[in-house]
Every structure is written in structure tokens, then in C-alpha cells.
Amino acid sequence: MQLVLRVGAVMAAVIMVSACEDPQRPVPAPVSTTTTTATPTTTVRNDEQRLHAGKLAEGARMAEVLTLPTDIDPAFVRAGQTGVLTEPMLTIMTDHNNALGAAATEHGMLTGFVSQRSNGASMRGDISWLTHGILRFPDTDAAQAAATALATTATTQSGMLQSGVWTATGLPDEPDARVLTMDNRGKLEGMAFTPHAEFVVFTKIRAGGGLPEIERTVRAALALQRPALDSFTATPVADLPDLPYDPTGIHALAVGDGSASSGSFGPHGALLFADDQQAAVTLYREVGVSALGRKDSAVYRTSDAAGAAKLSAATAAQIGGQTDWKQAPAPASVPGSACWTDADASRWSCTVSSGPYFALVWAKSQDEAHTLTGQQHTALAAAK
């Protein structure tokens, strides 16, 4: 039973390079060269950097109302890439179609959130994918125009990893949905951009059920996502630069440099990163998960030490139950920690808890894993 997502190394690396920077990293103020007196270095952010951080924070807030992909279709049991929907992330999620990312930006895309999952099949030809996300625009008119532009662009300009041609198909009972289909190596894929208020719902599916399955998936996604969006109170555009990136302090507890999945999330957002989302719905409620911070580790705040211990035990059982992972030495200096690695010791996962906090650390070597786990334990032990 998989409860916590481990980011795929290849995709994570691609997105990290193209899509991510840590908005919490301070920017040194320029030092005057007109005097020999040493000037202290301060940390400042210009308006553009503050707006960028605010957009990422708003995207993380939107995770709280993104419909769980497994609520749309429980067949998608394996977690894939999940994170704030920036232009580079949208580009990657649409077969590396730079034109689609640019079209969203041109129409004023502010931010969003997206989650991708697969059916977990072992053979490439049998793998099905579901990608579901929400994009926010300045107003309703912009969202309407963006949905049309995104659909039109997809039919006229191809992505680097695209093997077919998108064709406008439509959905009779959902006239607002811009639905496209494409024959991709013998499987029909579907992609839909549907405006709703100042948002666009983005749903993409590759499955074996043909057009009926695509239509059923789009309908299910809209039926669940629209009311969830209606419950969301968007931050006014003018206030985005002042929106706190880490309102609960949970992101500051995570260690490492971060990735495209970095951020500060609430209890529903935490579910989006779980492999077995339906099991996590029950478990996270039982242990009282209230916040998740992600960098090169995932830090969960639970209701108490017992909750953290239960989440730690469930995660250990999940990792230890996978055939491609084996128990590995844990750092002796970190009490209660545990580590696992893969066959060639190129991927490491370690767990550590302190008080109401539980953390899962990812690394590429034993030295890195032990260093990060030690740093993580120190951060958790000092947390209030």
C-alpha cells in the first residue's frame, strides 16, 4: 500500500531544471563599490520576485481544491508528477509542447496545480495515464479565451514527444469543454480544456477504452472539479506579491534544495502526493495530517507523536514491501531512523520522526541520505 510519493528521477530532473527555483532563497542586495567600507549583505526581493513567489504560493493553495485523480477514476493507482502548474510544467504535461505553455502565459495564466497518475502497468504498451489540473487566469474572459487558444494551439503545433495529431472532437453535453483526441501508437488519447469562472480545468487521458472512456473521464472530472473550484477563494491579483509562501512554517522544516514539487501544502494537498490516495484519505485523517512541506524531503505535521509514529510505520511497510527496494544502513547518529535503497544504491529513502513530525528523505547516495537525514532530524527536533 503506497502512501507517499517518491519523485521519478528522470522526470523530476527535467522539470527541476526547466521549471523550478526556490522562492524562499534570499537575493543578496547589491553592494556599493564607491567606498572601501564593508557593507553588510542584506536580503531583498524585487517586485517581480515577490509576484513569482506569490504565484507559487497561490498554486499551492489551489492544491487544496484539486480533485483527487483517483476520485475521477480509481484505476489510476500509481502516483506520477505533481506540483504547481507553471508554464514549464504545463509544457511538459502536454508532451513538451512549448506553444501550449506560451499560449497560457500569453492569456495571463497566473498559476495552477496539476497531478499525474498511471495505472501501474509493468509493460509500456499497457500503461495508461491520467493528468488532471486547474489553471487560474485574471478573470472569466481571460479563462474563456485561454481555453479556446490552448485547444486551437494543440491542433496546430505539436509537442516534442507527440506521436500523433490532436483533432477537435467536442463533447455534446459539455459544450464549454474544448475536447481533443489523438491516436497515439494504437491508443486513443484525450485532452480537454474547460473554462469555469476565472479557471480552466485541464484533463488529459491515455487509456484503452477509446472515446467512451475519454468522454466519461472528462465528465467525471468536471462534475467533481467545478463545485470544488466554487469553494475556493482566490487571492486578489494585486495581493499576490504579499501572499506568504510558507504560511504554516512547514516548508522551512524540509531539507535540501527542492524540486518542482516543492512547496507548503495543506491536508488535501498532501493527499495529491500519495500513491494510494484512497488509503491515504483514511490514514491521514486518523493521524491528523494538517500540513506538508516538500524540498528534498517531505515533512508531515500530524496531530501528535503517536500520529507521526503511525505514519512512519505505514511508510516503512510501503517501501519495504516493494521488490526493487531493500533495507539499508541508517545513520547511527539519528535515533529511530530507517533507510532503504535500490539494487544499485543510486536511490535512497530514509524516514525520521520527532514529536508530531514525520519526514521522508530522498537522496542519490548513502552519504547524501545520511547527511540529509541528520539535518532533517535536527530541524524536526528544534521545531515547536
Side-chain angles (χ1 to χ4, degrees), residues 268-323:
H268 182 83
L271 292 172
L272 291 167
F273 292 95
D275 244 11
D276 190 337
Q277 290 182 337
Q278 297 307 315
V281 168
T282 300
L283 177 65
Y284 289 8
R285 185 182 301 119
E286 289 176 351
V287 304
V289 170
S290 59
L292 164 65
R294 290 179 60 95
K295 290 181 187 172
D296 287 337
S297 67
V299 177
Y300 295 80
R301 181 182 290 129
T302 68
S303 57
D304 51 30
K310 185 171 184 177
L311 184 55
S312 178
T315 303
Q318 170 250 307
I319 300 175
Q322 298 183 63
T323 57

Side-chain angles (χ1 to χ4, degrees), residues 60 63-64 84 113 250 261-267 269-270 273 290-294:
E64 292 305 298
V84 173
F113 203 84
I250 193 72
S261 297
S262 293
S264 173
F265 306 98
F273 292 95
S290 59
L292 164 65
R294 290 179 60 95

Side-chain angles (χ1 to χ4, degrees), residues 7-80:
V7 178
V10 175
M11 181 62 82
V14 170
I15 297 180
M16 191 184 305
V17 169
S18 62
C20 183
E21 65 180 70
D22 187 351
Q24 295 294 85
R25 188 172 295 152
V27 179
V31 178
S32 172
T33 59
T34 59
T35 176
T36 57
T37 303
T39 304
T41 299
T42 58
T43 56
V44 296
R45 289 183 184 163
N46 60 34
D47 291 344
E48 183 179 353
Q49 291 163 338
R50 290 173 56 239
L51 178 59
H52 173 68
K55 288 179 178 179
L56 294 178
E58 181 76 347
R61 289 186 67 238
M62 291 175 66
E64 292 305 298
V65 294
L66 181 69
T67 297
L68 295 179
T70 52
D71 283 342
I72 298 171
D73 188 336
F76 293 92
V77 296
R78 181 63 53 81

